[in-house]
Amino acid sequence: MYRVFEALDELVAIVEEARGIPPTRSCIVPRGDVLELLDDVRDALPGELDDAQDVLDHRDKIVGDARTGAEATVTSANEQARTTIESARAEADRILAEAKAHADRMVAEATTHADRLVANAQAEADQVIADGNAEYDELTGRAQVDADRAIQAGKDSYERSVADGKAEQARLVAQTEVVRAAHAESARLIDTAQAEADRVRAECDDYVDERMADFGGRLAELEETLNTTRRTITRGRQQMRGAQAPEYPEYAADPRR
């Protein structure tokens, strides 16, 4: 086939380079060269045509074989793709199950830890409140005892002063000036005893108020500690709720895919 094209190219070149015959479009070409080139084309064509016919004869078989091979390749690729997809889906389901189990375990552990913290805080608060109530009762009882003792001492002093005044009054009843002095002294002693009793009562009240203010401060600190613990637990639970929803592959959301 190469010789055919080569000969045709030479014929075209001879015709293009041939001298024209005016005023016609004819030209003068070397007859021997042209005939020789035509013989070369004639000799080369049968063999090339046989080769082309052989290619045409085998075309259907080649195309059939190619189609069969392509179909086999497509079938194998489809089977391999299906196997790969099933394996990937099974692996995704396993990873999803493990992730859910891990998340459930973390939530359970966090819930248990939070409940334990709340229980400990509640127990500590109850203990502090109980200790405060006991201390308050003890302080109140002690202050009441001290106040009762002071009041009783004032009453005894008052009664003694009254008795002394009455005795002095009886002894000096005959003397007007002495009687007036006795009355004045008696009143003074009574006022002194009353003032002493009031002083002792005021001191007892101040002592009780001071202890109650201190106890109130401790209760306020305990309340702040409990509020801080409760806020910390609430934030921990919110963070755990936000972390327990992992992102899974899209095909894992629909098992039919």
Side-chain angles (χ1 to χ4, degrees), residues 44-60:
L45 281 177
E48 300 296 336
L49 290 176
D50 291 339
D51 295 338
Q53 187 63 40
D54 292 338
V55 171
L56 291 176
D57 293 339
H58 290 82
R59 181 186 61 181
D60 295 336

Side-chain angles (χ1 to χ4, degrees), residues 124-203:
E124 184 177 357
D126 295 339
Q127 183 63 37
V128 171
I129 292 173
D131 294 341
N133 290 332
E135 185 175 359
Y136 171 75
D137 294 338
E138 182 181 359
L139 292 175
T140 303
R142 188 183 305 165
Q144 187 64 41
V145 171
D146 293 340
D148 293 340
R149 186 182 301 112
I151 292 172
Q152 186 62 40
K155 287 181 179 180
D156 293 343
S157 177
Y158 170 74
E159 291 175 356
R160 284 195 303 271
S161 298
V162 171
D164 293 342
K166 287 182 179 180
E168 186 67 19
Q169 182 183 12
R171 188 176 64 80
L172 301 173
V173 69
Q175 301 177 4
T176 304
E177 295 295 335
V178 175
V179 170
R180 282 198 295 271
H183 279 294
E185 182 65 18
S186 176
R188 186 185 66 78
L189 292 174
I190 291 172
D191 292 339
T192 301
Q194 188 65 41
E196 181 67 18
D198 292 340
R199 185 184 65 77
V200 172
R201 183 184 296 276
E203 290 179 356

Side-chain angles (χ1 to χ4, degrees), residues 6-78:
E6 185 179 15
L8 291 175
D9 291 338
E10 292 179 1
L11 285 173
V12 171
I14 290 174
V15 172
E16 289 177 348
E17 295 175 356
R19 184 173 24 176
I21 301 175
T24 66
R25 300 183 62 184
S26 300
C27 62
I28 299 174
V29 296
R31 180 180 299 175
D33 295 338
V34 173
L35 292 175
E36 184 178 356
L37 290 175
L38 291 176
D39 290 337
D40 291 340
V41 171
R42 183 182 301 162
D43 294 337
L45 281 177
E48 300 296 336
L49 290 176
D50 291 339
D51 295 338
Q53 187 63 40
D54 292 338
V55 171
L56 291 176
D57 293 339
H58 290 82
R59 181 186 61 181
D60 295 336
K61 183 177 181 301
I62 294 173
V63 172
D65 294 341
R67 183 179 291 109
T68 302
E71 291 176 354
T73 302
V74 171
T75 302
S76 177
N78 291 333

